[in-house]
Amino acid sequence: QVQLVESGGGLVQAGESLRLSCAASGSGFLINAMGWYRQAPGKQRDLVATITRRGSPNYTDSVKGRFTISRDNTKNTVYLQMNNLKPEDTAVYSCHVRVIHYDGTSDSDYWGSGTQVTVSS
């Protein structure tokens, strides 16, 4: 079983920055892809950024140049540095990990409970 603990959300003004963290704990697995998704009120959950185990990132167009995803494989942690935040970035941000189980069972997806990011204008 994998547990995910997120931190770093909050209330900021437009143009400011926040850094989200998501740490995975547990045993018997290797973390493959990691990522961040967000869900604004009344909207579906959308991809923000993902990163492969080797560190290759992928971003949705609206955050390119402002957000940076990174990971520390020694700590099983993924980060999202968010700069120049805009009111439209307001959402609940959730981390996602895909794990490979050492016992050979199928890969599994896990989600964090989410952290609120609110950007005021």
Side-chain angles (χ1 to χ4, degrees), residues 15 17 25 36 48 64 67 87 90 96 119:
S17 300
S25 62
W36 290 95
V48 177
K64 287 180 180 178
F67 291 11
T90 295
H96 165 265
V119 185

Side-chain angles (χ1 to χ4, degrees), residues 29-34 50-57 71-74 76 98 100 102:
F29 60 86
L30 178 74
I31 296 181
N32 197 355
M34 307 181 85
T50 61
I51 187 167
T52 66
R53 182 165 181 83
R54 292 188 176 186
S56 295
R71 64 188 287 171
D72 184 338
N73 290 335
T74 65
N76 283 341
R98 166 152 284 205
I100 301 170
Y102 291 144

Side-chain angles (χ1 to χ4, degrees), residues 34-99:
M34 307 181 85
W36 290 95
Y37 291 72
R38 66 188 179 186
Q39 186 169 20
K43 295 188 177 182
Q44 67 180 18
R45 183 166 58 190
D46 292 324
L47 179 147
V48 177
T50 61
I51 187 167
T52 66
R53 182 165 181 83
R54 292 188 176 186
S56 295
N58 177 60
Y59 301 94
T60 191
D61 287 345
S62 63
V63 307
K64 287 180 180 178
R66 300 188 298 122
F67 291 11
T68 302
I69 189 170
S70 60
R71 64 188 287 171
D72 184 338
N73 290 335
T74 65
K75 298 179 180 179
N76 283 341
T77 300
V78 61
Y79 306 95
L80 186 67
Q81 177 67 42
M82 305 185 292
N83 297 331
N84 190 22
L85 282 159
K86 303 176 180 180
E88 51 264 42
D89 294 318
T90 295
V92 174
Y93 285 69
S94 300
C95 69
H96 165 265
V97 300
R98 166 152 284 205
V99 305

